[in-house]
Amino acid sequence: MAVNTKQKKRIDISTCWATKRISVMDNLERYEDSYAIAEEFREWILHVGEKNENLRDSFLNLPKELKELLDQKVND
């Protein structure tokens, strides 16, 4: 798999994002969500660069439910 500079940067950023989100979910004792993030990230990382894609196609999408949950926890 050949990874260009933009994809490598996106992978680095996404790795940090996934690691932090998994940690937050574990701290909130949301283990199923933590596992789901880990699995989604694993699937995403395995397929980056498989086809001729532009950078937009390789974004790891953020689940809206997680944002709502985190906003709720912060406001509690």
Side-chain angles (χ1 to χ4, degrees):
M1 168 175 82
V3 177
N4 65 33
T5 304
K6 288 181 181 180
Q7 286 175 324
K8 180 169 179 2
K9 185 174 183 177
R10 186 66 194 152
I11 291 168
D12 291 345
I13 292 168
S14 296
T15 300
C16 290
W17 174 87
T19 302
K20 295 294 182 188
R21 294 302 174 260
I22 291 167
S23 177
V24 167
M25 290 295 107
D26 285 346
N27 285 333
L28 294 173
E29 297 181 2
R30 300 289 304 249
Y31 302 114
E32 288 180 9
D33 292 330
S34 173
Y35 179 77
I37 293 168
E39 286 300 300
E40 180 69 24
F41 182 72
R42 183 183 67 80
E43 286 295 317
W44 177 82
I45 199 78
L46 288 174
H47 298 290
V48 169
E50 275 190 352
K51 60 180 180 177
N52 292 334
E53 59 188 354
N54 54 30
L55 186 60
R56 185 176 357 147
D57 293 336
S58 67
F59 284 158
L60 183 64
N61 295 318
L62 307 177
K64 292 180 183 178
E65 298 83 21
L66 290 181
K67 182 183 179 326
E68 292 169 2
L69 173 67
L70 292 174
D71 288 344
Q72 179 184 14
K73 291 290 184 181
V74 167
N75 292 327
D76 286 346

